[in-house]
Every structure is written in structure tokens, then in C-alpha cells.
């Protein structure tokens, strides 16, 4: 579901090129929850952005949800995100002027769903994660953990099969972080492939596997 082979990436060029990822290979099966760990600067965010198609690798191949990303133009990659790949960041990025359910509807509306269809699927998504009672609240009326879970519901709505998250619990207390990891677990148990970059050792209680990045390389297990 997520495969990358010999992915390398440097920032800067020539003499000033700084290698950030060096020959990273991963093969994450459908329905797995993998934690991506490593010290600050080890390349976690860069790898997540490449897998999400937000940046391109200098070398190597990346296949996500059955699509080989390196062959695609940025606009085609963003279409894949809309259809198949949800991305969650440390900041929830909910739009403050929209209610929770309206936020979850957004990617569906972007795909041309009618208002009624989008509402139905968004409510189902919130319900699946136990968030139905928050549907009509605005982001500033719910807790940080709840916002992040609404963000996960938005990332998954419309049958997306892959979720990529970068430090999703970085701004949360331990209790909220647990619930967020539990939410990813639930998604993986439904067949979604989940990769979460995190510093938070709590993730070990929910993830199936951990990949450690050290200076841009996958550390042998
Ligand atoms: N756009 C960029 N231009 C230049 N250098 C960058 C850029 N983005 C990241 N880097 C550098 O690449 C290295 C890896 O950064 P990255 O953000 O992927 O690490 P990380 O493991 O996610 O760190 P953190 O845990 O602090 O988020 C760092 O040395 C960073 O300074």
C-alpha cells in the first residue's frame, strides 16, 4: 500500500547539498499502523511529505495507494491526495469558520460530492470515530485532541485508504495523545494503511511496527 525503494533527497545543490534521506526503502502492507521515529532532523517530515506527494524525491521510487508518484505532475499528485491519501499535521488545520462536520465535508465537496452526499459521509466518518456529538461545534469549541480527531476523520472521509501523519500528537497532552493513537489504530483495523511520524513513545502501544530513521537512513531492526 505504501512502498518506497531507495529514496534519496537532498536540500540545496552542488557543494551545498545536504543529504536528508539516503536510500530509504519501506514496504507497508494494507491495514498496518507503522510508527516512524528518529531524532529531530533525521528526515521524518521530509519522508512523509514525499510519500504524500507534497515534495518529490531526487532518486528512488514511491508507490502510494497503487500509484507511482515520481511519474506524476504536482496536480496529479494532489488529485491522488484528494481521492486516496489523507494527511494529518501537528496543527489540525481545521477552518475556524466551519463547524466540525463542515470541515470533514470539505474534501468531498472538492471531489464534486453534492452537499447532501458530503454531509451524510462526513457524519458517518465522525460517528465512526465517536465524534458525532461534536458535528455542529466550531473548532474553538472543542479540545485540541478532539480537533485532531476531527482532522483524522477529514483525512479519511470518502474511502481514502492511506493516512500519513506528521507529529499529530506534538501539541497534545498524554491523554489526548492516547486517544489520537487509538483513532489511528481503529482506522488501520478497518484496512487503512497508517504511517505516523512521531517522537512520542506512547505510539508503541498501538503501532504494529516501528521504523527508525537515523541521519536519513532506515536503521536495521
Ligand atoms: N525545505 C528545506 N530546505 C532545506 N533544508 C531542509 C528543508 N526541510 C528540511 N530540511 C533539513 O532537512 C533535515 C531533515 O528535516 P526533517 O524536517 O525531515 O526532519 P524531522 O526528522 O522531521 O525533524 P523534526 O522531528 O524536528 O520534525 C533537517 O536538517 C532540516 O534542517
Amino acid at each position: 500500500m505504501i512502498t518506497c525503494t531507495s529514496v534519496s533527497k537532498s536540500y540545496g545543490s552542488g557543494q551545498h547539498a545536504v543529504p536528508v534521506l539516503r536510500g530509504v526503502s519501506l514496504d507497508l502492507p494494507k491495514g498496518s499502523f507503522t510508527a516512524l521515529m528518529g531524532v529531530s532532523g533525521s528526515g521524518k517530515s521530509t519522508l512523509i511529505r514525499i510519500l504524500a506527494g507534497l515534495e518529490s524525491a531526487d532518486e528512488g521510487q514511491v508507490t502510494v495507494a497503487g500509484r507511482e508518484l515520481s511519474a506524476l505532475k504536482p496536480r496529479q499528485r494532489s488529485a491522488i491526495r484528494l481521492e486516496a491519501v489523507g494527511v494529518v499535521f501537528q496543527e489540525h488545520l481545521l477552518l475556524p469558520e466551519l463547524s466540525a462536520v463542515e470541515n470533514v465535508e470539505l474534501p468531498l465537496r472538492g471531489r464534486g460530492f453534492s452537499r447532501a452526499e458530503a454531509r451524510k459521509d462526513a457524519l458517518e466518518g465522525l460517528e465512526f470515530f465517536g465524534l458525532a456529538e461534536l458535528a455542529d461545534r466550531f473548532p474553538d469549541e472543542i479540545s485540541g485532541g478532539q480537533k485532531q480527531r476531527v482532522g483524522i476523520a477529514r483525512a479519511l472521509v470518502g474511502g481514502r485508504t492511506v493516512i500519513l501523519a506528521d507529529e499529530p500528537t506534538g501539541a497534545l497532552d498524554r491523554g489526548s495523545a492516547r486517544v489520537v493513537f487509538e483513532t489511528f489504530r481503529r482506522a488501520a483495523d478497518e484496512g487503512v494503511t497508517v504511517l505516523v511520524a512521531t517522537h512520542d513513545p506512547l505510539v508503541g502501544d498501538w503501532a504494529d511496527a516501528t521504523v527508525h530513521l537515523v541521519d536519513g537512513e532506515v536503521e536495521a531492526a
Side-chain angles (χ1 to χ4, degrees):
M1 254 302 151
I2 302 178
T3 309
C4 65
T5 312
S6 307
V7 164
S8 296
K9 174 84 180 172
S10 299
Y11 288 113
S13 56
Q15 253 183 313
H16 302 291
V18 179
V20 176
L21 296 176
R22 311 164 197 243
V24 171
S25 297
L26 289 178
D27 190 3
L28 310 182
K30 177 173 158 53
S32 59
F33 176 175
T34 306
L36 179 63
M37 300 192 81
V39 299
S40 189
S42 56
K44 304 183 297 297
S45 300
T46 304
L47 182 57
I48 293 282
R49 288 202 302 271
I50 289 174
L51 295 173
L54 293 165
E55 251 183 86
S56 45
D58 297 337
E59 284 171 44
Q61 280 179 337
V62 179
T63 305
V64 176
R67 278 84 151 192
E68 157 66 49
L69 296 187
S70 40
L72 301 179
K73 299 196 169 62
R75 193 202 272 182
Q76 295 170 307
R77 292 194 225 134
S78 93
I80 290 176
R81 274 196 302 282
L82 206 50
E83 279 169 31
V85 181
V87 188
V88 175
F89 295 100
Q90 176 165 342
E91 288 303 319
H92 56 81
L93 305 178
L94 300 180
L95 296 184
E97 67 277 20
L98 298 184
S99 66
V101 69
E102 287 166 343
N103 267 284
V104 178
E105 284 170 18
L106 278 183
L108 299 174
R109 298 287 287 158
R111 282 168 63 183
F113 282 48
S114 73
R115 188 168 289 271
E117 283 169 330
R119 177 60 54 110
K120 179 173 166 287
D121 286 7
L123 283 173
E124 273 173 21
L126 287 171
E127 209 164 289
F128 177 74
F129 291 119
L131 299 166
E133 75 280 11
L134 305 181
D136 295 323
R137 295 218 219 147
F138 288 85
D140 66 1
E141 298 171 335
I142 60 180
S143 74
Q146 288 169 333
K147 282 193 263 253
Q148 211 43 322
R149 289 163 64 211
V150 171
I152 296 171
R154 182 181 57 181
L156 282 177
V157 79
R160 286 176 174 139
T161 53
V162 169
I163 190 159
L164 301 166
D166 193 1
E167 284 295 344
T169 63
L172 302 179
D173 59 71
R174 283 172 71 82
S176 304
R178 283 179 188 284
V179 184
V180 166
F181 288 136
E182 214 170 80
T183 305
F184 285 121
R185 179 72 258 167
R186 218 177 133 82
D189 289 342
E190 286 296 305
V192 174
T193 307
V194 181
L195 179 65
V196 178
T198 182
H199 287 285
D200 193 339
L202 277 178
V203 73
D205 291 349
W206 285 277
D208 300 302
T210 301
V211 169
H212 287 278
L213 274 187
V214 179
D215 284 342
E217 285 185 282
V218 175
E219 190 181 55

